[in-house]
Amino acid sequence: MADYEKVVRRLLRENGCYYTRKGKGDHEMWYSPITNNSFPIDGKIKSRHMANVIMKQSGINHKF
């Protein structure tokens, strides 16, 4: 499996999303100004499907 963590975080920052607080376990809470919502991000994004879910939650039109 590939590691999508760095690419996902870079895309989030480039689109104005930012880290807000620590979540449960190794999760982090991020905020998206596009959707005006907070969403969790796992500390290890190994799955293409999970990376796509994060992109959808953030409102960024990007598919892996």
Side-chain angles (χ1 to χ4, degrees):
M1 286 187 161
D3 186 15
Y4 294 94
E5 181 182 357
K6 290 181 182 179
V7 177
V8 168
R9 290 176 192 271
R10 179 180 52 80
L11 287 169
L12 290 172
R13 285 190 192 101
E14 287 175 357
N15 286 280
C17 299
Y18 56 88
Y19 170 85
T20 58
R21 66 181 174 89
K22 183 158 175 44
K24 288 189 175 182
D26 65 347
H27 287 73
E28 298 176 345
M29 294 301 293
W30 282 63
Y31 175 79
S32 171
I34 299 167
T35 62
N36 200 28
N37 287 321
S38 293
F39 54 95
I41 294 184
D42 192 0
K44 297 174 186 83
I45 305 167
K46 300 286 186 186
S47 159
R48 172 178 60 89
H49 301 289
M50 183 53 66
N52 285 331
V53 166
I54 293 169
M55 292 292 105
K56 187 173 184 179
Q57 288 177 337
S58 67
I60 298 170
N61 188 16
H62 181 86
K63 301 284 185 212
F64 289 97

